[in-house]
Structure formats: structure tokens, C-alpha cells
Amino acid sequence: MFGIYLKRELGRRKKAALVIALGLALGIALVITVNSVSAGMTQAQDKVLKSLYGLGTDMTVTKARTAPTSGSSGGPNFRFDARSSSSSTQSSDRVQTQGGQALKSSLVTEVAGQKGVESAVGALSLNVTKVDGSFTQGKAKSSTSGSSSGSGGTGGQGQPGGGSSSGSGGAPQVQGGGADFSVNSYSVVGVDVAHQGLGPLSTMKLTSGRTFTSAQTGAKVAVVSKSYAKEKKYKVGSTFKISGTKVTVIGIATPDSSESDTDVFVPLKVAQTLAGAKNQVTTIYVKATDSQQISTVKKEITANISGTTVTTSADLASTVSGSLSTASSLATSVGKWLSVAVLAAAFLVAALLTSSAVSRRVREFGTLKALGWPSRNVTRQVVGESIVNGLIGGALGIALGVGAAYAVTAVSPKLTAQLGSTGGGGMGGGPGGGPGGQASQNTLEIALSAPVSLTTIGLAVGLAVTGGLIAGAMGGWRASRMRPADALRSVS
């Protein structure tokens, strides 16, 4: 009886049921879209942090650079030989550590021994600036005045009365000469070839060639990023020099996400030799035994190893700026509050429309009560109709929300993320710039997606049922208060 009556009443009031269902559908669709976009923002931020940290890295240990002492200069210093030839080619490299003050390699073992640390590896970040070109020597020539002649009193530059004169004067002048130089700056990272699963190389995926073997600790070989290889036209087997040291390209790799800010990877010992930083590293990458205890491990390392800066992914996330940060803030604050407001309005409209529909069914419900229906049956009938309306609205809302999320993923809008310095020392200065250790920013570009999870679908179904219950409770309460006499008064 209940099911037959329910089906007949919903079929008889299709327009009212559709209006209620659409109101709930819009609210639920907005909730699904905002939740999916927020999940996409979280994934994008994770990609940004992984591209900088490396897969499996929970924190890094660095040391901020000290201020230059009086009279010292940390700026670029290029020396060229003076030669007598009129045109000569000159070349000079500057290799400088970047990413903070150098740490002793022994600290890697000390960090790895701290409570809560599963593993730790060191890396040495370098900035290589190469200047090459040629000087052209100029020639000194003395300036002379030309001879002139004249007659009478019009001698121009001649003496009065005519005649000619010639003379010389003026300082010698240098004519010709100059310089033509090109500047090439790129980044080099020395990695521990025995532990490549943790650290900067873990974010890279080989596209050709191979990576380092554990036996190549001192081999003059390199893995270069795909973008840098394309720029320099390198391929597997190509050779090039870093500050006079000839290295061979054994692999070309591309980052798993976004863009890599490292151009060349070499074994750690080779990087230490290039920089004259024997047994030194600039960054220690740390993996915790329990990802839920990262803050505790950070405190442990900070307390036991003085003078270092421990940076976790949470610390780094606070430095992310750009359109990714702005969009994430909007999705978190404005988007969610807008969803709540629209959903509340949809619930209210559904409740009011259900209550209004009940008021137009006075004769129907009064007659049912006169025939012996108790108030709970009338209330159950109204609530049942409202829940069905809610489920229909939920189905429509899920379809609309999933469609909107799919559209966002298909379009994949590009968002930029700028990673600022966290106090561990900035990147090395560029050509002509100051010393390393200044604040720096790495700009990455991330494609936004909007994944829809089963949890989000479950939330949508729950909201649909909740909306139906709210509307049904309000309508059922009003229907239960009707008396059979109301039905008799409504008969014309």
C-alpha cells in the first residue's frame, strides 16, 4: 500500500518533485565539484613538494650561510690571462656551492642515527657559471690636424696673410678593440650513487640511457635533465666539461612532475672535487620511520644537532605562493563556504516546497485520517516521498558534479607555484649576481585535476538523504497536525 501510494503521488506531482530534486541536485553538485577541486589542489601541492624534495623524503637538514666577513667578497671572480696577441679566446668557470652553508659528510651518519629516522643521504648542490669569449686589442693613434692653404686675409685655419701650416697636437686615442663574451649558468647536484631512492634524483625518470651504479662513486659521468640536454644538444655518450673536468653523459631523465630545477647530476665525490668541498654536503635528505611522527623527529634532530635548519614538507608548503596557492585558498575558504550556503538554501527550499505541498493536500490527508490512518502513517508517507525526491536530486547532483569535475580535469588549467627559501640558504647567485645563500624562488607549473573519490560520492548520497529527511520532517510534522474535520471544510 505504501509503495503504490508513493509511486502514484510522485507521478501526480512531477513538477513539484522535479523542482525539489533540482534544488538539491545543484547544492550537491557544487559540493562534489568543490571537494574534487580541493583534492586536486592537494595533489598539485604534493607534486610541487615531491619535485623539490624527492619521493620518500620527509624532511631536509641544511645550514644557513653566514654573513660575509669584512673585506671578503663572495661575488663572482673571473681571472683571465693577459696576452699580447691582438685577438685571443678566454674561458673561465666559477663553481660555487648553493643551498646553504656546507655541512660535514659525517653529519649524514649522525642524522641517520637519530631516533625516528629510517635513512638519510647527503647531496651537494652547485652553481656553475661559465664565461667564455674573446678580447680584441685596440690600437693607439695620435690625432693630427690637416694642412690648409689660403690667400689674403681669408686664411680660414691658415695664418693671416695666406700660406699654409701644418701641425700636430692632441692626446693619442685608442681605436678598435673590445670584448665579446657569453655567460652560461647551470646547476649541478652531486648525489649519493649508493642511495638513489632518496634525494633529488628520486624525482627523475630516465627517458634514455641508464643511471649511476653503486661502483661509480668517483666516475666522471653524468645524468642530465631532458630540457638541458635539448638545449645543449646532448645525447647519451656526449661529453662536456665542468670547470675543466670532462664528463660523459650516461643518461637523460625527466622529472615525474612539473619542471626540474637541476640540470646535471653527478656522483657526490665528483661534485665535491669540482667545488673543492671534500667530505662536504649542502643538504641532508631524511626519511622518517613513521610519517605521523615527523614533527617529533624534527625536534629530535634540532635538539641533538645544533646549528642546522630542519625543514619538513609542512614547512615548505607554507612557502608556496603563486596561482596554485591562491586557487587553493579560494577552494578551501570561499568554495566550501559557498557550498555550505547553497546546500543550506537547497535544504530550506526543499523543506518549504514540501510544506507547501502538504498544505495543498489538506483534503487528501484529512480523508486518510477519517478512514483510520494514524498520524505516524501520514508522516511516514510524506517523509518517504521527500526521501525519494532527495535520492533523485542526489543522483542528478552526482551526475552534474562528476561532469563538472571531469570538465576541470579535461581542461587541466595550468597553475604556477613559487617555492620560496625556507631559511636553509638560497640558490647561488646568477651571473654577475651576489653570493649564494640569498633568498630564492623556484617557479613550477602544475596541471590541475579534479579527482572524484568514493568518499565524495558517499558524502553526496548522505547529503541527498539528509535533505530528504529535513524536508520530510517539516512536511510530515505539518501533515500529522491535520484533523479529519479539515478535510470536510475543504470540500466545496
Side-chain angles (χ1 to χ4, degrees):
M1 177 67 180
F2 172 76
I4 296 174
Y5 188 37
L6 178 65
K7 182 179 179 181
R8 184 178 66 84
E9 288 303 315
L10 289 175
R12 193 159 61 93
R13 277 181 286 276
K14 291 181 180 179
K15 290 184 179 180
L18 185 61
V19 170
I20 295 173
L22 285 177
L24 292 172
L26 290 176
I28 292 170
L30 186 58
V31 170
I32 292 176
T33 304
V34 171
N35 272 275
S36 300
V37 171
S38 296
M41 297 291 180
T42 302
Q43 288 184 358
Q45 287 185 330
D46 288 343
K47 287 181 180 179
V48 170
L49 299 181
K50 286 178 180 178
S51 69
L52 183 68
Y53 259 178
L55 298 174
T57 303
D58 294 317
M59 64 193 77
T60 58
V61 180
T62 56
K63 187 175 183 179
R65 288 186 181 271
T66 57
T69 59
S70 178
S72 65
S73 174
N77 185 12
F78 300 101
R79 293 184 176 88
F80 299 103
D81 295 330
R83 300 176 184 175
S84 60
S85 58
S86 59
S87 178
S88 61
T89 300
Q90 303 277 355
S91 180
S92 180
D93 288 358
R94 178 189 64 141
V95 180
Q96 189 177 34
T97 60
Q98 66 177 11
Q101 186 175 339
L103 302 167
K104 292 181 179 180
S105 297
S106 58
L107 279 180
V108 177
T109 305
E110 191 174 344
V111 170
Q114 299 300 308
K115 184 179 179 181
V117 174
E118 179 178 329
S119 58
V121 297
L124 183 66
S125 299
L126 307 176
N127 179 266
V128 181
T129 304
K130 182 179 181 64
V131 178
D132 55 8
S134 62
F135 290 107
T136 302
Q137 197 173 43
K139 295 182 178 180
K141 292 184 178 181
S142 60
S143 59
T144 58
S145 60
S147 61
S148 60
S149 62
S151 61
T154 59
Q157 289 184 350
Q159 299 294 327
S164 63
S165 66
S166 64
S168 62
Q173 295 181 351
V174 178
Q175 297 181 358
D180 182 15
F181 282 84
S182 62
V183 179
N184 176 31
S185 181
Y186 57 98
S187 59
V188 178
V189 171
V191 297
D192 188 341
V193 296
H195 303 89
Q196 299 178 49
L198 181 62
L201 195 56
S202 64
T203 64
M204 306 297 288
K205 179 174 62 177
L206 283 172
T207 58
S208 62
R210 60 178 178 81
T211 187
F212 308 107
T213 64
S214 57
Q216 291 179 314
T217 55
K220 296 178 177 61
V221 292
V223 174
V224 299
S225 68
K226 186 176 181 180
S227 58
Y228 189 70
K230 182 178 181 181
E231 177 188 345
K232 297 298 180 182
K233 298 181 180 179
Y234 292 154
K235 58 183 180 180
V236 176
S238 298
T239 60
F240 63 97
K241 288 185 177 182
I242 303 176
S243 188
T245 300
K246 185 178 180 180
V247 296
T248 303
V249 177
I250 61 170
I252 296 174
T254 184
D256 287 335
S257 60
S258 67
E259 293 293 331
S260 173
D261 59 350
T262 301
D263 299 315
V264 180
F265 298 90
V266 297
L268 179 57
K269 285 189 176 180
V270 174
Q272 291 171 339
T273 302
L274 290 172
K278 185 179 180 180
N279 296 326
Q280 292 183 341
V281 297
T282 52
T283 306
I284 300 174
Y285 294 83
V286 182
K287 182 178 182 180
T289 54
D290 185 357
S291 60
Q292 303 300 318
Q293 300 296 324
I294 291 177
S295 59
T296 303
V297 177
K298 176 182 177 179
K299 292 178 181 178
E300 184 82 10
I301 296 174
T302 304
N304 295 333
I305 304 177
S306 60
T308 58
T309 301
V310 182
T311 307
T312 66
S313 56
D315 298 329
L316 196 62
S318 65
T319 71
V320 176
S321 60
S323 59
L324 174 60
S325 177
T326 303
S328 180
S329 298
L330 288 174
T332 303
S333 55
V334 179
K336 289 188 176 180
W337 280 113
L338 180 62
S339 300
V340 170
V342 171
L343 199 60
F347 285 174
L348 181 61
V349 169
L352 292 176
L353 289 177
T354 302
S355 180
S356 176
V358 168
S359 65
R360 292 194 297 271
R361 297 167 67 182
V362 173
R363 182 170 59 181
E364 175 186 340
F365 290 133
T367 302
L368 288 173
K369 282 194 169 186
L371 292 175
W373 269 41
S375 295
R376 65 174 180 275
N377 285 2
V378 176
T379 301
R380 185 183 67 174
Q381 185 68 38
V382 175
V383 172
E385 293 175 8
S386 298
I387 290 178
V388 171
N389 284 335
L391 291 175
I392 294 173
L396 292 174
I398 290 173
L400 290 174
V402 171
Y406 177 79
V408 171
T409 303
V411 173
S412 294
K414 303 293 184 181
L415 299 176
T416 58
Q418 293 177 335
L419 300 174
S421 174
T422 56
M427 304 288 282
Q438 296 174 350
S440 64
Q441 283 191 335
N442 300 323
T443 301
L444 305 176
E445 192 174 75
I446 300 292
L448 177 65
S449 62
V452 180
S453 64
L454 292 177
T455 303
T456 303
I457 299 297
L459 175 64
V461 173
L463 290 174
V465 174
T466 301
L469 286 173
I470 292 174
M474 190 170 180
W477 173 78
R478 185 164 186 175
S480 65
R481 292 170 59 87
M482 291 182 179
R483 297 174 300 170
D486 297 331
L488 298 176
R489 283 198 297 269
S490 64
V491 176
S492 54

